[in-house]
Amino acid sequence: MAKSRLKKPSDSTIHRLSVYYRVLQNVEREGFHTVSSKELAQREKLTPAQVRKDLSFFGSFGTRGLGYPVRELREKIAKILGLDKTWNVALIGVGNVGSALISYKEFQKQGFEIKLLLDNDQRKIGSNHKGLIVKDVRELEKELKVHRIDIAIITVPANSAQSIVDQVQGAGVRGVLNFAPVNLKTADETYLRTENMAMELEHLSFCLTSNSTPVSD
Amino acid sequence: MAKSRLKKPSDSTIHRLSVYYRVLQNVEREGFHTVSSKELAQREKLTPAQVRKDLSFFGSFGTRGLGYPVRELREKIAKILGLDKTWNVALIGVGNVGSALISYKEFQKQGFEIKLLLDNDQRKIGSNHKGLIVKDVRELEKELKVHRIDIAIITVPANSAQSIVDQVQGAGVRGVLNFAPVNLKTADETYLRTENMAMELEHLSFCLTSNSTPVSD
DNA sequence: AATTGTGAAATTGTTCACAGCA
DNA sequence: TGCTGTGAACAATTTCACAATT
């Protein structure tokens, strides 16, 4: 029963696990019962060895000579990623980005349920977005606790993001997805991921500037 | 004069370059004329050696014993990242995420100018968003060319994203930022970056599930 | 015959440590 | 003395190659 995971999987392994999870959903929809590491790899331009190595961090899910059972592997990965439960999510900052995320279907689909909206703008507080009433950010700690929030999405302006993440941690929330374009300082026990859309564009800008093709230099 | 860059910098180096660029803006705002790799590193929880190694891919910008000239280094990095010019950006898909990006200040601030909006919904076509009229996606190729678009941001539903990226490439656009939650296939000469917000949440979900603190395992 | 699971090899990325310069 | 720039050492990640299994 005891899982003997020796090494901590890298962030890239986790990332690819999410990728495999999506591919498996497709493979399953297409009616396959079994899939090889080769097939899985081809669909994402990875190597079969990479796929097998990634999966081997978590156990032996395949059958030699046959491949992996599609449905079972998808379920195993879902469990590893924690997608077998629902997560209560709070969205802090109901501006442009925040509003967009409220109607982002992909979240609910994977079990992330936005249960709470917070803002500091009196004109927004009390307003209804997709059935949720925007609460006053001054009630942050109370509201996070009442709704048993697991993950906070921060979509406030850059200059207030640090103060928000401090409060969020204070309320015991350990998962934070930050969209504010700043580097936030967090306690060691908090998991923070920052999505900086401008930096993605800057990466493209770099590629287009260094006059090279993606392949060679 | 000839730049003797021997190795191609890694994606992480480019990513950190964007980070340094932001830190330098702050350092400059705070009035410093000079900054050491140590100071730069501390502000982002990196090592001084990492900072120096990253910068050394592109040249020698510092002065031994003194550090780096803040303004000059910021400008050098801007040039490397291609932020010394403006980029014409098209936004394809004026839904929730698309609309949010139209008013996303951070883009304009770094020289990314949204010049064109495209959609396939007759109710949206012709409507005005922040001074831009939504054009018919059937005119995609013509419009991309007329506006001399460098980068396309794809915010259409997952099932139409591949068709859009094919057309975008066909029109000669080589930079693509994709928000649709699918793995797009592109030609070798196209630079594609995909932002999958659900996958970020899944990473947090994984961290919160594997009962460990971020530090040890 | 086909395909997994995994040590070992190769490659890539990070940190060290110090020569060289202001 | 202080700090950069960089080759060498080290660490992490990916790929290889093959024994094990169906």
Side-chain angles (χ1 to χ4, degrees):
Chain A
M1 192 85 264
K3 182 71 60 56
S4 67
R5 175 151 47 90
L6 292 102
K7 284 189 62 182
K8 201 172 164 177
S10 68
D11 276 8
S12 3
T13 294
I14 304 310
H15 179 89
R16 285 190 300 266
L17 228 50
S18 276
V19 169
Y20 303 148
Y21 181 68
R22 284 174 170 67
V23 176
L24 286 165
Q25 289 181 322
N26 293 334
V27 172
E28 195 174 0
R29 204 172 298 128
E30 291 167 24
F32 296 100
H33 288 194
T34 261
V35 70
S36 66
S37 57
K38 191 180 164 200
E39 172 68 20
L40 237 33
Q42 276 170 351
R43 299 202 181 205
E44 295 289 328
K45 281 213 199 146
L46 297 166
T47 66
Q50 177 88 83
V51 174
R52 296 200 301 276
K53 181 68 88 177
D54 283 339
L55 295 176
S56 78
F57 272 113
F58 304 99
S60 306
F61 307 125
T63 310
R64 287 164 204 243
L66 263 179
Y68 299 89
V70 176
R71 186 194 158 86
E72 208 177 301
L73 182 59
R74 180 183 54 66
E75 285 170 353
K76 284 268 169 56
I77 293 179
K79 185 147 193 197
I80 294 164
L81 290 175
L83 303 180
D84 55 340
K85 35 186 160 322
T86 63
W87 296 91
N88 295 331
V89 177
L91 203 133
I92 309 175
V94 188
N96 295 303
V97 177
S99 306
L101 296 182
I102 295 170
S103 4
Y104 193 60
K105 302 287 191 308
E106 203 72 4
F107 288 165
Q108 298 138 59
K109 210 190 284 179
Q110 303 308 340
F112 299 99
E113 297 194 351
I114 297 181
K115 287 278 177 60
L116 169 65
L117 306 179
L118 293 168
D119 206 294
N120 70 347
D121 184 337
Q122 288 304 322
R123 288 163 300 183
K124 287 174 187 162
I125 294 167
S127 71
N128 187 315
H129 288 251
K130 301 268 168 181
L132 286 172
I133 306 295
V134 179
K135 298 298 173 85
D136 191 327
V137 76
R138 284 175 296 188
E139 306 288 316
L140 183 143
E141 182 158 358
K142 191 193 83 190
E143 293 288 347
L144 290 179
K145 285 181 175 162
V146 167
H147 292 89
R148 302 178 168 287
I149 295 301
D150 302 297
I151 296 173
I153 301 181
I154 297 186
T155 45
V156 301
N159 56 33
S160 31
Q162 184 62 58
S163 147
I164 294 293
V165 81
D166 292 345
Q167 294 174 62
V168 162
Q169 288 180 106
V173 173
R174 301 210 313 139
V176 177
L177 179 54
N178 170 42
F179 283 87
V182 278
N183 181 37
L184 299 178
K185 311 294 177 207
T186 54
D188 284 349
E189 69 273 15
T190 302
Y191 296 98
L192 167 73
R193 297 194 65 83
T194 292
E195 193 107 332
N196 190 322
M197 302 180 283
M199 279 172 55
E200 293 298 319
L201 279 187
E202 288 172 16
H203 198 123
L204 286 173
S205 157
F206 167 80
C207 294
L208 294 169
T209 300
S210 348
N211 50 347
S212 65
T213 66
V215 182
S216 62
D217 194 15
Chain B
M1 191 84 268
K3 181 72 58 60
S4 66
R5 175 150 48 89
L6 292 103
K7 285 189 61 183
K8 200 171 165 178
S10 68
D11 277 9
S12 3
T13 295
I14 305 310
H15 178 90
R16 285 190 299 265
L17 228 49
S18 275
V19 169
Y20 302 148
Y21 181 67
R22 284 175 169 66
V23 177
L24 286 164
Q25 289 181 321
N26 292 335
V27 173
E28 195 174 1
R29 203 171 301 126
E30 291 166 24
F32 295 99
H33 288 194
T34 261
V35 70
S36 65
S37 57
K38 190 177 163 200
E39 171 68 20
L40 237 33
Q42 277 171 348
R43 296 202 182 205
E44 295 289 328
K45 280 213 198 146
L46 298 167
T47 66
Q50 177 86 83
V51 174
R52 297 200 300 274
K53 180 66 86 173
D54 284 337
L55 297 176
S56 77
F57 273 113
F58 305 98
S60 304
F61 308 124
T63 310
R64 289 165 204 245
L66 263 179
Y68 299 90
V70 176
R71 186 193 159 87
E72 209 176 300
L73 182 60
R74 179 184 54 67
E75 285 169 353
K76 285 268 170 53
I77 293 180
K79 186 147 194 198
I80 293 164
L81 291 175
L83 303 180
D84 55 340
K85 32 185 162 321
T86 64
W87 296 92
N88 295 331
V89 176
L91 203 133
I92 309 176
V94 188
N96 294 304
V97 177
S99 307
L101 296 182
I102 295 170
S103 1
Y104 192 60
K105 301 288 192 306
E106 203 72 4
F107 287 164
Q108 299 138 59
K109 210 188 284 179
Q110 305 306 339
F112 299 99
E113 296 194 352
I114 297 181
K115 286 277 177 60
L116 170 64
L117 305 179
L118 293 168
D119 205 294
N120 71 347
D121 184 337
Q122 289 303 323
R123 289 163 299 183
K124 286 174 188 161
I125 294 166
S127 70
N128 186 314
H129 288 252
K130 299 268 168 184
L132 287 172
I133 306 295
V134 179
K135 299 296 173 88
D136 192 327
V137 75
R138 284 175 296 190
E139 306 289 317
L140 182 144
E141 182 158 0
K142 193 194 81 189
E143 294 288 349
L144 290 179
K145 284 179 174 161
V146 167
H147 292 90
R148 305 180 167 283
I149 296 300
D150 303 297
I151 296 173
I153 301 183
I154 297 186
T155 44
V156 302
N159 56 31
S160 32
Q162 183 63 57
S163 150
I164 294 293
V165 80
D166 292 345
Q167 294 175 63
V168 162
Q169 287 179 105
V173 173
R174 300 209 314 136
V176 177
L177 180 55
N178 170 44
F179 283 88
V182 278
N183 182 37
L184 300 178
K185 311 295 178 204
T186 54
D188 284 350
E189 69 272 15
T190 302
Y191 296 98
L192 168 72
R193 296 193 65 84
T194 292
E195 192 107 331
N196 189 321
M197 301 180 285
M199 278 172 56
E200 293 298 319
L201 279 187
E202 289 172 15
H203 199 122
L204 287 174
S205 156
F206 167 80
C207 295
L208 295 169
T209 299
S210 345
N211 50 346
S212 65
T213 66
V215 182
S216 62
D217 194 17

